[in-house]
Amino acid sequence: MTRRVALGLLAGIPVLLLVLASLDALRETGVVGLPVVPWQTLWGLPLDRWLRDIAATLALGCVVVGGLLAPRPDPRLLRGASLAALVWLAALLAQIPLTVSELLGRPWADSLDPIIVTSLLAQTQLGQLLVAQIAIVGLVAVLGWAVLGRVTGAVVLALAMTAAMLPALAGHSGLHAGHTAASVSLAVHLVSVGVWVGGLIAVCAYVVAPGRRPSDAVTTLRRFSVLALVCVLLLAESGLLNASLRVDGVGTLMTTPYGTLILAKSVVLCALVVLGWRQRRYAVPEAADATGHRLLLRFAAFEVLLMGIAIGLAVALSRTAPPAGAIAGDRITTGSLTLLALALPLVLVWAGARPSSGRSDGRAPWFARITAAYPEPFAVIVVVAAFAAPLIVASAALPIGLATLLAGVVLLLAGWAFAIAATGPRGVPAIVLVMVLWVPALWWTTVGEPVETWLQVGVAVLAGEACLALLLVVRARRNRPRTAEPAPDPVAAA
Ligand code: HEM
């Protein structure tokens, strides 16, 4: 059952490939004076990096839960950590020829020349970091089998954490002028991701293992729940700090692919926080019996799917050039439009963020009554906002930072009002209306001065339609007549 939960991580692969394809990063391009990187490497390197991140995550999670959080070290999970470390090792070894191929523009198969490989590994910082990672991950793979108690568990965990942190010293962070802040924040980010994502999968495997004592299951789950909260805080803080070093303000966030990817990760993180909070409330206290296990796995399946999407976006982010900065006349990306007008409002209403009257007669406030009675005008408002936002951003009347902030607030408010209206009893026609009008609304942003590829617009349209379909699901569940004791549902409204 836990294996099915872990499969959600695979959602990152289509997300990663779709984003990179839309940014034209999977096609060989000949720039005069620069080596042509073969397409096999353009596909292979991000996929290898994804595999490295997933394996590192699983290894860290298994060591944390099996070696430290469980009342007694769990040999099954520690063997899992060893196997994950072996996959991690394989991904690191594959990274060597792929890196040579990318740096020198050689075919992948010709990139194993011993002289070139030796100079990469011995003379460059990237190579030295790879060697250190390979050595430490090899140790984790061997020592995972030998954990006998808390102390050995802590040693293996320290090794796995060190190996997970090392990539933060290379890549975009290594290149950045604010080198130390960028490297330290990314290192903290990577370890928090590993402990949180891998830990969730490992704790599910631990709790539902046959013959597990209910008291051990509950203790481990409670400990993990506290640790997960700390990880989320560290992850959000380090991610935002790292992003702030590369993106100069709201303008760049909404007008460049790099900024849009950060916005997308932030929206996914918001959804994960809502799910995590509900899991803490409903699933953790019930984890002692089989019904509780089913509930835990149901929540975890949704969470791991979203985490998989976030990791796919993260690898795409690491393969995207950080932006130079927004300038007057820049255009809002179709992705940002979709995220602000549809995705974030969807997460907000799903989390239960709606006007509350606080009245003793239980009557809904005027705003909720109007949106529920007349949802169609709010559908028109969100589409008009999607037409207006590109004009506000591109207008030279306001500085670009202020213009994008204004457009963002307009989109978010219009989207939120629409989402409240759409989840009411008469919401279906309003959702269908936006589904139809969303295509021309995004097409409009490309008119005159197309800055995005057709695939980028297509991905944004698809994401918008997916959000609207999810809004239909949230709406249907919220308006379902409640006959019996309501069963906690990860998707149902709070
Ligand atoms: C507020 C939300 C978040 C922000 C602002 C953020 C920001 C960032 C930034 C700026 C990077 C560095 C990318 C580069 O090298 O250019 C990064 C890397 C990464 N992030 Fe996040 N992140 C967030 C949430 C998440 C979440 C929810 C996950 C997974 C559950 C995640 C997983 C990762 C991973 C795995 C990497 C490393 C990718 C690689 O180099 O292979 N992040 N993040």
Side-chain angles (χ1 to χ4, degrees):
M1 279 203 289
T2 314
R3 252 180 239 148
R4 245 185 281 159
V5 170
L7 283 181
L9 290 175
L10 292 176
I13 295 183
V15 170
L16 167 65
L17 294 179
L18 209 59
V19 172
L20 289 182
S22 74
L23 297 175
D24 214 8
L26 295 177
R27 207 166 49 89
E28 288 176 17
T29 44
V31 177
V32 181
L34 288 180
V36 178
V37 182
W39 68 266
Q40 293 91 336
T41 305
L42 293 173
W43 283 72
L45 205 49
L47 286 173
D48 182 63
R49 210 156 162 162
W50 174 85
L51 186 66
R52 178 201 73 183
D53 289 350
I54 294 292
T57 291
L58 290 175
L60 263 176
C62 286
V63 179
V64 168
V65 176
L68 283 191
L69 299 184
R72 279 164 296 284
D74 183 63
R76 205 170 132 254
L77 276 184
L78 291 161
R79 280 198 298 275
S82 276
L83 289 177
L86 282 178
V87 177
W88 188 358
L89 196 61
L92 288 171
L93 291 171
Q95 206 176 323
I96 298 173
L98 284 168
T99 307
V100 172
S101 169
E102 180 171 58
L103 292 177
L104 303 181
R106 281 168 157 242
W108 191 79
D110 295 350
S111 300
L112 278 170
D113 181 332
I115 298 173
I116 299 177
V117 170
T118 317
S119 21
L120 171 86
L121 297 182
Q123 289 166 19
T124 64
Q125 191 209 23
L126 185 68
Q128 287 156 1
L129 285 172
L130 256 175
V131 172
Q133 265 179 287
I134 289 169
I136 300 172
V137 174
L139 270 178
V140 174
V142 175
L143 293 179
W145 294 84
V147 171
L148 301 171
R150 292 263 176 263
V151 177
T152 36
V155 171
V156 179
L157 179 60
L159 288 171
M161 278 183 166
T162 311
M165 280 179 184
L166 285 178
L169 303 178
H172 289 154
S173 289
L175 300 175
H176 201 272
H179 181 87
T180 310
S183 298
V184 172
S185 57
L186 190 55
V188 171
H189 195 67
L190 293 176
V191 171
S192 327
V193 171
V195 174
W196 183 35
V197 179
L200 176 64
I201 294 171
V203 88
C204 287
Y206 181 83
V207 168
V208 303
R212 178 75 60 220
R213 277 200 254 163
S215 61
D216 285 358
V218 173
T219 308
T220 310
L221 196 56
R222 280 187 199 283
R223 286 177 183 167
F224 176 72
S225 183
V226 175
L227 185 63
L229 189 65
V230 175
C231 285
V232 172
L233 293 176
L234 285 176
L235 179 132
E237 198 176 334
S238 56
L240 289 171
L241 171 66
N242 198 286
S244 70
L245 295 170
R246 301 149 200 247
V247 171
D248 67 346
V250 198
T252 320
L253 206 59
M254 286 166 57
T255 57
T256 62
Y258 194 91
T260 307
L261 285 173
I262 286 178
L263 209 57
K265 285 182 80 181
S266 307
V267 173
V268 176
L269 183 63
C270 291
L272 277 166
V273 168
V274 179
L275 256 180
W277 176 79
R278 289 200 186 151
Q279 190 181 43
R280 233 175 123 83
R281 185 166 161 198
Y282 296 117
V284 174
E286 306 286 332
D289 58 16
T291 320
H293 291 174
R294 269 199 298 280
L295 192 58
L296 174 72
L297 292 179
R298 219 161 134 196
F299 272 101
F302 277 98
E303 277 184 276
V304 172
L305 185 80
L306 286 175
M307 288 164 167
I309 292 174
I311 294 177
L313 289 171
V315 179
L317 187 69
S318 71
R319 302 281 301 160
T320 307
I327 51 166
D330 275 354
R331 297 176 73 95
I332 186 168
T333 62
T334 47
S336 308
L337 254 174
T338 306
L339 288 164
L340 291 167
L342 298 181
L344 196 50
L346 167 70
V347 175
L348 289 177
V349 291
W350 176 51
R354 42 180 54 238
S356 103
S357 64
R359 290 164 56 147
S360 52
D361 60 4
R363 264 173 71 101
W366 64 269
F367 185 65
R369 271 183 281 140
I370 291 182
T371 48
Y374 307 103
E376 293 82 2
F378 291 94
V380 174
I381 288 173
V382 79
V383 175
V384 169
F387 275 101
L391 295 178
I392 301 174
V393 172
S395 87
L398 292 171
I400 181 82
L402 198 59
T404 42
L405 187 65
L406 182 65
V409 171
V410 167
L411 284 171
L412 199 56
L413 286 180
W416 185 53
F418 161 68
I420 294 173
T423 44
R426 291 193 49 247
V428 175
I431 298 178
V432 174
L433 191 64
V434 180
M435 275 181 158
V436 174
L437 293 178
W438 197 244
V439 181
L442 291 202
W443 163 81
W444 158 250
T445 62
T446 65
V447 169
E449 208 185 317
V451 284
E452 290 182 283
T453 62
W454 279 109
L455 198 52
Q456 266 169 286
V457 181
V459 170
V461 168
L462 219 68
E465 300 293 338
C467 289
L468 292 163
L470 278 174
L471 205 54
L472 280 173
V473 176
V474 170
R475 195 199 145 272
R477 290 182 183 256
R478 179 164 291 173
N479 296 311
R480 196 169 46 187
R482 296 181 180 217
T483 44
E485 183 67 16
D489 185 322
V491 182

